[in-house]
Amino acid sequence: MPIIVNLDVMMARRKISAGELAERVGITPANLSILKNNKARAVRFSTLEALCRELECQPADLLEYREED
Amino acid sequence: MWNKDKSLLLSRIAVWIFILIAVFSVVAAPTLTKLFLDFSRAPMAGMTRQQTLLCFLSTEYLSLLPAGVLLWNLHRLLQRIGRGEVFVPANERALRRISWCCLVEAGICVVSCLYYLPFLLVSIAAGFMALIVRVIKNVFAEAIALKDENDFTI
């Protein structure tokens, strides 16, 4: 998938653990792991909104488009 | 009160009844076929009684092979549904095998029409069943893809 989720980068910048972020966003740690490991097929706007709110960032900070080789 | 668990149990009981019938057929086929030939006066394309008996038994025993595979797959399918695993690739594969078994049965019956024409009806029924199961398999494939998409939407 050419869409990369840079969640781990933002989490490192904000110094927040996966468990804590999952709890604050309101998703399970398993689902956060799917998102973090680029296994997700789609992201709901409500999830994206909660992630941006908790990580104090913009959607573009979390999502990146990279052309496939 | 009727519910889906009882419905599933009924389906599993029905499958087991058919498995028992299949096992009974293995043992009782010669006797039952002889009885059928004694009572039926259908013309058998100028064959002797022994030849006719042999043809019927060949059809019956050949049919039991795909029937056994079909029933086993049906049993496993119901087991998985009972565990809550409905839209999984294993069920799609089971339905595909069931569909092929129906088609093989239809083929056996078509060949058997050469000596006993009423097998044509069984063949059409089996072919139609193969088609229905194949459509259900296609629906399952789509449902599995949708479930996969849904499971990975965060």
Side-chain angles (χ1 to χ4, degrees):
Chain A
M1 179 99 82
I3 299 289
I4 310 293
V5 181
N6 290 318
L7 196 57
D8 44 357
V9 176
M10 284 311 293
M11 282 167 64
R13 278 190 198 158
R14 300 291 182 252
K15 295 186 176 64
I16 187 168
S17 70
E20 194 186 340
L21 182 63
E23 199 184 320
R24 283 203 213 166
V25 171
I27 59 175
T28 63
N31 277 346
L32 188 76
S33 172
I34 288 170
L35 202 56
K36 213 166 65 138
N37 296 319
N38 283 300
K39 295 270 163 46
R41 297 273 176 86
V43 185
R44 288 191 189 90
F45 275 174
S46 56
T47 309
L48 193 60
E49 183 192 324
L51 283 169
C52 290
R53 185 188 64 231
E54 295 304 326
L55 293 170
E56 294 167 350
C57 64
Q58 292 298 311
D61 298 325
L62 296 173
L63 303 173
E64 182 190 342
Y65 173 76
R66 264 187 231 165
E67 282 211 36
E68 276 181 315
D69 297 327
Chain B
M1 190 72 180
W2 191 251
N3 56 38
K4 70 181 177 95
D5 290 333
K6 283 179 184 167
S7 173
L8 194 65
L9 182 70
L10 183 66
S11 302
R12 290 177 78 169
I13 290 169
V15 168
W16 271 106
I17 288 170
F18 274 96
I19 289 172
L20 291 175
I21 290 171
V23 172
F24 175 73
S25 302
V26 173
V27 183
T31 314
L32 289 175
T33 309
K34 276 177 196 162
L35 277 174
F36 172 75
L37 289 178
D38 286 342
F39 285 102
S40 112
R41 305 206 173 186
M44 303 296 173
M47 290 191 293
T48 64
R49 191 175 183 278
Q50 197 59 32
Q51 285 170 330
T52 311
L53 184 69
L54 205 69
C55 284
F56 267 97
L57 286 178
S58 305
T59 300
E60 284 159 16
Y61 283 118
L62 272 177
S63 299
L64 278 171
L65 286 170
V69 175
L70 187 153
L71 287 168
W72 178 249
N73 276 290
L74 211 51
H75 171 66
R76 294 300 305 272
L77 177 76
L78 289 172
Q79 264 187 336
R80 279 191 291 269
I81 291 174
R83 286 200 300 263
E85 300 166 18
V86 183
F87 298 116
V88 293
N91 286 351
E92 188 201 342
R93 285 195 297 273
L95 284 168
R96 195 179 64 232
R97 280 193 289 266
I98 289 168
S99 171
W100 276 108
C101 287
C102 289
L103 209 64
V104 171
E105 292 282 7
I108 291 168
C109 290
V110 162
V111 175
S112 304
C113 286
L114 291 173
Y115 68 89
Y116 190 60
L117 197 61
F119 271 123
L120 187 65
L121 292 173
V122 184
S123 173
I124 291 168
F128 191 63
M129 188 57 76
L131 184 69
I132 291 171
V133 175
R134 188 146 191 92
V135 170
I136 294 171
K137 184 215 85 130
N138 291 338
V139 172
F140 259 69
E142 280 301 311
I144 290 163
L146 281 173
K147 184 182 175 288
D148 203 38
E149 188 87 16
N150 193 45
D151 284 350
F152 286 96
T153 298
I154 312 297

Short mmCIF file of all heavy atoms in Angstrom, two decimals, chain A residues 21-52:
data_model
loop_
_atom_site.label_atom_id
_atom_site.label_comp_id
_atom_site.label_asym_id
_atom_site.label_seq_id
_atom_site.Cartn_x
_atom_site.Cartn_y
_atom_site.Cartn_z
N LEU A 21 -2.01 5.80 24.20
CA LEU A 21 -2.66 6.43 23.05
C LEU A 21 -3.95 5.70 22.67
O LEU A 21 -4.98 6.34 22.40
CB LEU A 21 -1.70 6.46 21.84
CG LEU A 21 -2.24 7.14 20.59
CD1 LEU A 21 -2.53 8.62 20.84
CD2 LEU A 21 -1.28 7.00 19.42
N ALA A 22 -3.88 4.38 22.69
CA ALA A 22 -5.07 3.58 22.35
C ALA A 22 -6.21 3.91 23.31
O ALA A 22 -7.37 4.07 22.88
CB ALA A 22 -4.73 2.10 22.41
N GLU A 23 -5.88 4.04 24.59
CA GLU A 23 -6.90 4.34 25.59
C GLU A 23 -7.50 5.74 25.36
O GLU A 23 -8.72 5.92 25.41
CB GLU A 23 -6.28 4.25 26.98
CG GLU A 23 -7.32 4.10 28.08
CD GLU A 23 -6.69 4.11 29.46
OE1 GLU A 23 -5.61 3.50 29.62
OE2 GLU A 23 -7.26 4.74 30.34
N ARG A 24 -6.63 6.71 25.08
CA ARG A 24 -7.09 8.09 24.88
C ARG A 24 -7.93 8.23 23.61
O ARG A 24 -8.89 8.98 23.56
CB ARG A 24 -5.88 9.03 24.79
CG ARG A 24 -5.26 9.33 26.13
CD ARG A 24 -4.52 10.64 26.00
NE ARG A 24 -3.34 10.71 26.83
CZ ARG A 24 -2.39 11.63 26.69
NH1 ARG A 24 -2.47 12.51 25.72
NH2 ARG A 24 -1.36 11.66 27.49
N VAL A 25 -7.52 7.50 22.57
CA VAL A 25 -8.23 7.59 21.29
C VAL A 25 -9.52 6.78 21.33
O VAL A 25 -10.49 7.10 20.63
CB VAL A 25 -7.30 7.12 20.14
CG1 VAL A 25 -8.03 6.97 18.84
CG2 VAL A 25 -6.16 8.12 19.97
N GLY A 26 -9.53 5.73 22.15
CA GLY A 26 -10.74 4.92 22.25
C GLY A 26 -10.75 3.75 21.27
O GLY A 26 -11.82 3.34 20.80
N ILE A 27 -9.57 3.24 20.96
CA ILE A 27 -9.49 2.02 20.14
C ILE A 27 -8.68 0.97 20.90
O ILE A 27 -8.00 1.30 21.87
CB ILE A 27 -8.86 2.28 18.74
CG1 ILE A 27 -7.43 2.84 18.85
CG2 ILE A 27 -9.72 3.18 17.90
CD1 ILE A 27 -6.71 2.99 17.53
N THR A 28 -8.76 -0.24 20.47
CA THR A 28 -8.03 -1.31 21.18
C THR A 28 -6.54 -1.24 20.82
O THR A 28 -6.20 -0.80 19.71
CB THR A 28 -8.56 -2.70 20.80
OG1 THR A 28 -8.32 -2.90 19.40
CG2 THR A 28 -10.04 -2.84 21.08
N PRO A 29 -5.67 -1.68 21.71
CA PRO A 29 -4.24 -1.70 21.39
C PRO A 29 -3.95 -2.54 20.13
O PRO A 29 -3.04 -2.23 19.37
CB PRO A 29 -3.60 -2.33 22.63
CG PRO A 29 -4.55 -2.04 23.73
CD PRO A 29 -5.91 -2.08 23.10
N ALA A 30 -4.76 -3.58 19.93
CA ALA A 30 -4.57 -4.44 18.74
C ALA A 30 -4.84 -3.64 17.46
O ALA A 30 -4.08 -3.73 16.48
CB ALA A 30 -5.51 -5.63 18.81
N ASN A 31 -5.90 -2.83 17.49
CA ASN A 31 -6.22 -2.01 16.31
C ASN A 31 -5.17 -0.92 16.10
O ASN A 31 -4.83 -0.59 14.96
CB ASN A 31 -7.61 -1.38 16.45
CG ASN A 31 -8.70 -2.35 16.04
OD1 ASN A 31 -8.43 -3.36 15.42
ND2 ASN A 31 -9.92 -2.03 16.38
N LEU A 32 -4.66 -0.37 17.19
CA LEU A 32 -3.61 0.65 17.07
C LEU A 32 -2.35 0.02 16.45
O LEU A 32 -1.68 0.64 15.62
CB LEU A 32 -3.28 1.26 18.44
CG LEU A 32 -2.34 2.46 18.37
CD1 LEU A 32 -3.07 3.70 17.88
CD2 LEU A 32 -1.69 2.73 19.71
N SER A 33 -2.10 -1.21 16.85
CA SER A 33 -0.94 -1.93 16.29
C SER A 33 -1.11 -2.16 14.78
O SER A 33 -0.16 -2.02 14.02
CB SER A 33 -0.79 -3.25 17.04
OG SER A 33 0.18 -4.03 16.41
N ILE A 34 -2.34 -2.50 14.37
CA ILE A 34 -2.63 -2.70 12.93
C ILE A 34 -2.34 -1.40 12.18
O ILE A 34 -1.72 -1.39 11.12
CB ILE A 34 -4.10 -3.14 12.73
CG1 ILE A 34 -4.29 -4.59 13.21
CG2 ILE A 34 -4.54 -3.01 11.27
CD1 ILE A 34 -5.74 -5.05 13.28
N LEU A 35 -2.78 -0.29 12.79
CA LEU A 35 -2.59 1.03 12.17
C LEU A 35 -1.10 1.38 12.10
O LEU A 35 -0.60 1.85 11.07
CB LEU A 35 -3.35 2.06 13.01
CG LEU A 35 -3.75 3.38 12.38
CD1 LEU A 35 -4.57 3.15 11.13
CD2 LEU A 35 -4.53 4.22 13.38
N LYS A 36 -0.41 1.14 13.21
CA LYS A 36 1.01 1.48 13.32
C LYS A 36 1.88 0.66 12.35
O LYS A 36 2.87 1.15 11.82
CB LYS A 36 1.47 1.21 14.76
CG LYS A 36 2.53 2.18 15.25
CD LYS A 36 2.66 2.07 16.74
CE LYS A 36 3.17 0.71 17.13
NZ LYS A 36 4.17 0.69 18.17
N ASN A 37 1.46 -0.57 12.14
CA ASN A 37 2.25 -1.47 11.28
C ASN A 37 1.81 -1.45 9.81
O ASN A 37 2.16 -2.36 9.06
CB ASN A 37 2.21 -2.89 11.81
CG ASN A 37 2.86 -3.00 13.17
OD1 ASN A 37 3.90 -2.40 13.42
ND2 ASN A 37 2.23 -3.72 14.08
N ASN A 38 1.03 -0.44 9.46
CA ASN A 38 0.57 -0.27 8.06
C ASN A 38 -0.22 -1.47 7.53
O ASN A 38 -0.14 -1.79 6.34
CB ASN A 38 1.76 0.02 7.13
CG ASN A 38 2.23 1.44 7.27
OD1 ASN A 38 1.48 2.37 7.02
ND2 ASN A 38 3.46 1.61 7.69
N LYS A 39 -0.97 -2.10 8.43
CA LYS A 39 -1.78 -3.25 7.99
C LYS A 39 -3.23 -2.82 7.73
O LYS A 39 -4.01 -3.61 7.19
CB LYS A 39 -1.77 -4.35 9.07
CG LYS A 39 -0.40 -4.96 9.30
CD LYS A 39 -0.21 -6.15 8.39
CE LYS A 39 1.21 -6.62 8.22
NZ LYS A 39 2.02 -6.75 9.37
N ALA A 40 -3.58 -1.60 8.13
CA ALA A 40 -4.97 -1.14 8.00
C ALA A 40 -5.34 -0.91 6.54
O ALA A 40 -4.51 -0.52 5.73
CB ALA A 40 -5.15 0.14 8.80
N ARG A 41 -6.62 -1.19 6.23
CA ARG A 41 -7.11 -0.95 4.87
C ARG A 41 -7.74 0.44 4.76
O ARG A 41 -7.77 1.03 3.69
CB ARG A 41 -8.19 -1.99 4.52
CG ARG A 41 -7.70 -3.40 4.49
CD ARG A 41 -7.14 -3.71 3.11
NE ARG A 41 -6.57 -5.04 3.06
CZ ARG A 41 -7.26 -6.14 2.82
NH1 ARG A 41 -8.55 -6.05 2.58
NH2 ARG A 41 -6.67 -7.30 2.81
N ALA A 42 -8.28 0.91 5.89
CA ALA A 42 -8.94 2.22 5.89
C ALA A 42 -8.91 2.81 7.30
O ALA A 42 -8.78 2.07 8.28
CB ALA A 42 -10.38 2.08 5.43
N VAL A 43 -9.00 4.14 7.37
CA VAL A 43 -9.03 4.82 8.68
C VAL A 43 -10.29 5.68 8.71
O VAL A 43 -10.55 6.44 7.78
CB VAL A 43 -7.80 5.73 8.88
CG1 VAL A 43 -7.80 6.33 10.28
CG2 VAL A 43 -6.51 4.97 8.64
N ARG A 44 -11.06 5.52 9.78
CA ARG A 44 -12.27 6.35 9.92
C ARG A 44 -11.84 7.78 10.25
O ARG A 44 -10.84 8.00 10.94
CB ARG A 44 -13.15 5.80 11.04
CG ARG A 44 -13.83 4.52 10.68
CD ARG A 44 -14.90 4.15 11.70
NE ARG A 44 -15.38 2.81 11.44
CZ ARG A 44 -14.86 1.70 11.96
NH1 ARG A 44 -13.88 1.78 12.83
NH2 ARG A 44 -15.34 0.52 11.64
N PHE A 45 -12.64 8.76 9.78
CA PHE A 45 -12.36 10.17 10.10
C PHE A 45 -12.38 10.39 11.61
O PHE A 45 -11.59 11.16 12.13
CB PHE A 45 -13.38 11.09 9.42
CG PHE A 45 -13.02 11.43 7.99
CD1 PHE A 45 -13.90 12.16 7.20
CD2 PHE A 45 -11.81 11.04 7.44
CE1 PHE A 45 -13.57 12.50 5.89
CE2 PHE A 45 -11.48 11.36 6.14
CZ PHE A 45 -12.36 12.09 5.36
N SER A 46 -13.29 9.67 12.30
CA SER A 46 -13.39 9.84 13.75
C SER A 46 -12.09 9.37 14.44
O SER A 46 -11.63 10.01 15.39
CB SER A 46 -14.60 9.08 14.30
OG SER A 46 -14.49 7.72 13.93
N THR A 47 -11.49 8.29 13.93
CA THR A 47 -10.23 7.80 14.50
C THR A 47 -9.11 8.79 14.20
O THR A 47 -8.29 9.11 15.08
CB THR A 47 -9.88 6.42 13.90
OG1 THR A 47 -11.01 5.57 14.02
CG2 THR A 47 -8.69 5.79 14.59
N LEU A 48 -9.10 9.28 12.95
CA LEU A 48 -8.06 10.23 12.54
C LEU A 48 -8.15 11.52 13.37
O LEU A 48 -7.14 12.06 13.83
CB LEU A 48 -8.23 10.54 11.05
CG LEU A 48 -7.09 11.26 10.34
CD1 LEU A 48 -5.80 10.46 10.43
CD2 LEU A 48 -7.45 11.51 8.88
N GLU A 49 -9.39 11.94 13.58
CA GLU A 49 -9.63 13.15 14.38
C GLU A 49 -9.11 12.97 15.81
O GLU A 49 -8.39 13.83 16.34
CB GLU A 49 -11.15 13.42 14.41
CG GLU A 49 -11.55 14.68 15.15
CD GLU A 49 -13.06 14.72 15.40
OE1 GLU A 49 -13.82 14.27 14.52
OE2 GLU A 49 -13.44 15.20 16.47
N ALA A 50 -9.41 11.81 16.40
CA ALA A 50 -8.96 11.53 17.77
C ALA A 50 -7.43 11.43 17.84
O ALA A 50 -6.82 11.93 18.80
CB ALA A 50 -9.61 10.24 18.27
N LEU A 51 -6.84 10.84 16.84
CA LEU A 51 -5.36 10.73 16.81
C LEU A 51 -4.72 12.11 16.72
O LEU A 51 -3.76 12.42 17.44
CB LEU A 51 -4.92 9.86 15.62
CG LEU A 51 -5.09 8.35 15.76
CD1 LEU A 51 -4.86 7.66 14.43
CD2 LEU A 51 -4.13 7.80 16.81
N CYS A 52 -5.27 12.96 15.82
CA CYS A 52 -4.73 14.32 15.66
C CYS A 52 -4.89 15.13 16.94
O CYS A 52 -4.01 15.89 17.33
CB CYS A 52 -5.42 15.02 14.49
SG CYS A 52 -4.97 14.35 12.90
#
